[in-house]
Amino acid sequence: MIDIKQLKILANENRKKIIRMIHSANAGHPGGALSVIDILTAIYELDVDLNSKKRSKVVLSKGHAVAAQYAILCSKGIIKEEELDTFRKINSRLQGHPSTITIPEVDATTGLLGQGLSVAVGIALAKRNKEENEHVYAIVGDGEMQEGQIWESLLQTAHYKLNNLILIIDYNKLSSYDNVNESMNLEPLHEKIKAFNFHTIEIDGNNMEQIVEALKEAYETKDKPTAIICNTIKGKGVSFMENNPKWHSGGISDEEYEIAKKDLEKIEEELTK
Amino acid sequence: MNYEMICLRDKIGEYLCEFAENDERIYVLDSDLAKSTKTLEFQKKFPKRFVETGIAEGSAMSIASGLALEGQIPFYVNFAIFVAGTAWTQLRQAAYGNLNVKMIGTYAGMDNGKDGASHHANEDLTLIRSIPSVKILVPSNYKEMKEAIKLAIEYNGPVYIRVCRDIVPNVEFEQEAQFGKAVVVEDNGDDFALIYEGTAAKVAFEGYEALKEKGYNGKLINIFSVKPIDVELINELSSKVKGIVTVENHSIIGGLGGAIAGILAQKSSHAKLAYVGVPDVFTESGSATDVKEKYGLNVDNIVTKVEEVIK
């Protein structure tokens, strides 16, 4: 099995791909893709066998972070390296938000915030009835937690005790507007999710050791669904993007791209020392 | 014509159970209205495949999407206003993914008379017609409803079935229901064509009889498939009859009338068209019969509109 160090290196490689795509498209959502990429990389490496028909699935409910998913699918050979430069361009398979029509391996068509956890509930119910033991992940953004449908589906997930569903909340504290808790306060988030009858774990979502531990704990939890609240840094890995709401969405200039690449190369050097 | 009056809603649960007996992929989703939509029977027979979502229509539609992604065939059964209205973006996402989801919207049009305008679904056809890839069927009798459900199961993609809560004449057609195929119910001449959607069958039948009594000889047509629509038949009618009148338990904006206008407007010459349905207003409470009478879905309006277009 892949070790923590390899996972970290892979996540960093995926970061490079994210930056490349958004630079090439001159559009996209770098901040939220970079905050979620660590746990997303771990999920795919530990639990998603894309070669198997019966497998764990990932619903990227915060669909605007799709560059993160494409980066991973590229590392798996489903998307070609050169195809990354077609992101968000006309006639490309790499749509601005996940679409199973062009890339079935994204698992669910998303993009309209708030809907993905419900989709995961449907997948989890079907898997349970079919007696399949694999998981379904719903990857939800913190801003997205403001959508009413999320709270409908939290009720449903817990009501049906969907222990095969793992909810990941990418809590990077920033949405399109600015500070997510200033636009509409989510706190106390941990207590709320717990009160909805989830086994609730809170971690540093950019710390691979904690991520792997939390996922293991989720797999072992059988009496209720698990939610992992990932405290993350929006724009993680790229110096000028970190914690800067400006980088929720937007293009990356040539100059910025060079700085970003250097930042990520430096991380790589540290990791491979 | 002599016929018994029936309510199609009454058989939704029964038919779904029949199909589910031999097909493990069939699920029913409900949002607290199983007693009204008659899917309670399904819950009793197939508890594992009956998903109660609570009063959460948007989420219900997305859960249906998840079930479809796992190769199941979910039927989301609810009032038409909730399926087409409350869950519209969720339905649109399902359609964008071309997911194998099925929706049954009952209490269509003004059938939920006494609950009032908030619960009248006079826009569901318009709302769903505008979404690419969703097929729309409106059965008008038991046989047709069963065939509509069968068609929906056999087709891999989103299908919306509009089902009446009010009564319709139980007149069965020999022709087997098909996507994109209308039914010529009666044909006595070329004066006019009265084209109705299934939930307006009763008033369409009565209007047709009244016109016959007044000496007009025309055709009575059950559209059945609103999308895809029977373009061939409509084109043929447009150069054959003197006038066409559409009859719908729905707004006259963007529903059956709108669909037919869109076809006729592309021809250099065609029969004159008029709509019978709800004008651009909100309705009110009352018995379904009274509401329909007041808001334009009545025999007098049919006769008047036909006389206008064939003048």
Side-chain angles (χ1 to χ4, degrees), chain B residues 9-118:
Chain B
R9 184 263 328 223
D10 297 347
K11 299 264 186 192
I12 293 173
E14 183 185 324
Y15 290 166
L16 287 171
C17 282
E18 273 184 55
F19 287 109
E21 201 80 57
N22 303 310
D23 192 338
E24 285 196 346
R25 300 169 303 166
I26 295 173
Y27 278 66
V28 166
L29 292 102
D30 171 58
S31 301
D32 199 48
L33 286 167
K35 278 185 201 158
S36 303
T37 63
K38 302 292 172 192
T39 54
L40 219 48
E41 190 178 337
F42 193 98
Q43 182 188 29
K44 283 184 193 130
K45 276 199 167 162
F46 309 102
K48 271 187 156 181
R49 290 191 268 149
F50 178 87
V51 182
E52 177 55 59
T53 69
I55 308 169
E57 296 85 3
S59 190
M61 192 64 235
S62 301
I63 293 175
S65 293
L67 289 165
L69 283 166
E70 282 291 310
Q72 311 305 305
I73 306 178
F75 278 81
Y76 182 34
V77 187
N78 205 335
F79 289 7
I81 187 70
F82 303 132
V83 176
T86 314
W88 190 82
T89 57
Q90 290 81 359
L91 168 52
R92 180 177 172 276
Q93 278 296 87
Y96 173 37
N98 196 32
L99 295 180
N100 199 18
V101 294
K102 319 297 170 186
M103 288 70 63
I104 296 184
T106 181
Y107 289 65
M110 295 164 282
D111 284 8
N112 195 358
K114 290 178 185 174
D115 275 346
S118 58

Side-chain angles (χ1 to χ4, degrees), chain B residues 21 38 72 75 117 125 199 224 232 254 264 270 283 299-300:
Chain B
E21 201 80 57
K38 302 292 172 192
Q72 311 305 305
F75 278 81
L125 292 177
T199 79
F224 177 65
E232 203 183 333
L264 297 187
H270 56 80
T283 52
V299 173
D300 284 351

Side-chain angles (χ1 to χ4, degrees), chain B residues 271-306:
Chain B
K272 224 172 151 185
L273 173 71
Y275 307 135
V276 167
V278 185
D280 190 18
V281 294
F282 285 106
T283 52
E284 65 183 81
S285 285
S287 73
T289 308
D290 288 347
V291 176
K292 288 173 184 176
E293 184 65 36
K294 180 168 175 178
Y295 288 89
L297 196 62
N298 59 61
V299 173
D300 284 351
N301 196 15
I302 291 174
V303 172
T304 308
K305 289 282 160 59
V306 168

Side-chain angles (χ1 to χ4, degrees), chain B:
Chain B
M1 281 190 281
N2 281 320
Y3 36 71
E4 59 160 339
M5 302 303 288
I6 52 169
C7 171
L8 302 191
R9 184 263 328 223
D10 297 347
K11 299 264 186 192
I12 293 173
E14 183 185 324
Y15 290 166
L16 287 171
C17 282
E18 273 184 55
F19 287 109
E21 201 80 57
N22 303 310
D23 192 338
E24 285 196 346
R25 300 169 303 166
I26 295 173
Y27 278 66
V28 166
L29 292 102
D30 171 58
S31 301
D32 199 48
L33 286 167
K35 278 185 201 158
S36 303
T37 63
K38 302 292 172 192
T39 54
L40 219 48
E41 190 178 337
F42 193 98
Q43 182 188 29
K44 283 184 193 130
K45 276 199 167 162
F46 309 102
K48 271 187 156 181
R49 290 191 268 149
F50 178 87
V51 182
E52 177 55 59
T53 69
I55 308 169
E57 296 85 3
S59 190
M61 192 64 235
S62 301
I63 293 175
S65 293
L67 289 165
L69 283 166
E70 282 291 310
Q72 311 305 305
I73 306 178
F75 278 81
Y76 182 34
V77 187
N78 205 335
F79 289 7
I81 187 70
F82 303 132
V83 176
T86 314
W88 190 82
T89 57
Q90 290 81 359
L91 168 52
R92 180 177 172 276
Q93 278 296 87
Y96 173 37
N98 196 32
L99 295 180
N100 199 18
V101 294
K102 319 297 170 186
M103 288 70 63
I104 296 184
T106 181
Y107 289 65
M110 295 164 282
D111 284 8
N112 195 358
K114 290 178 185 174
D115 275 346
S118 58
H119 283 59
H120 294 168
N122 290 328
E123 308 87 0
D124 59 327
L125 292 177
T126 316
L127 285 166
I128 296 184
R129 267 187 71 218
S130 64
I131 303 176
S133 91
V134 188
K135 295 188 189 293
I136 304 175
L137 304 177
V138 191
S140 62
N141 58 61
Y142 287 147
K143 176 175 174 275
E144 219 173 32
M145 184 164 83
K146 201 169 187 177
E147 288 170 351
I149 294 171
K150 185 165 178 271
L151 282 171
I153 293 167
E154 287 167 357
Y155 171 72
N156 183 21
V159 180
Y160 176 66
I161 304 176
R162 186 176 211 243
V163 172
C164 71
R165 163 69 182 90
D166 202 356
I167 47 173
V168 287
N170 193 21
V171 176
E172 291 184 359
F173 315 121
E174 257 179 54
Q175 180 184 323
E176 199 176 322
Q178 290 174 49
F179 286 118
K181 198 84 187 143
V183 183
V184 181
V185 181
E186 293 267 328
D187 188 353
N188 285 325
D190 295 333
D191 286 346
F192 66 89
L194 206 57
I195 307 178
Y196 67 90
E197 54 83 27
T199 79
K202 180 174 174 279
V203 72
F205 272 58
E206 290 166 357
Y208 184 78
E209 286 300 312
L211 285 158
K212 213 154 65 172
E213 273 168 32
K214 289 192 95 173
Y216 299 110
N217 298 309
K219 303 176 202 305
L220 180 63
I221 289 155
N222 165 38
I223 200 71
F224 177 65
S225 177
V226 170
K227 192 180 180 187
I229 202 159
D230 196 340
V231 178
E232 203 183 333
L233 178 74
I234 294 159
N235 275 331
E236 194 189 309
L237 289 171
S238 75
S239 49
K240 205 173 197 177
V241 299
K242 288 187 217 158
I244 297 174
V245 171
T246 54
V247 184
E248 56 194 315
N249 179 22
H250 189 275
S251 164
I252 56 166
I253 297 177
L256 174 64
I260 288 172
I263 297 165
L264 297 187
Q266 294 178 60
K267 300 173 67 101
S268 53
S269 70
H270 56 80
K272 224 172 151 185
L273 173 71
Y275 307 135
V276 167
V278 185
D280 190 18
V281 294
F282 285 106
T283 52
E284 65 183 81
S285 285
S287 73
T289 308
D290 288 347
V291 176
K292 288 173 184 176
E293 184 65 36
K294 180 168 175 178
Y295 288 89
L297 196 62
N298 59 61
V299 173
D300 284 351
N301 196 15
I302 291 174
V303 172
T304 308
K305 289 282 160 59
V306 168
E307 287 181 328
E308 272 172 26
V309 293
I310 67 175
K311 219 168 18 197

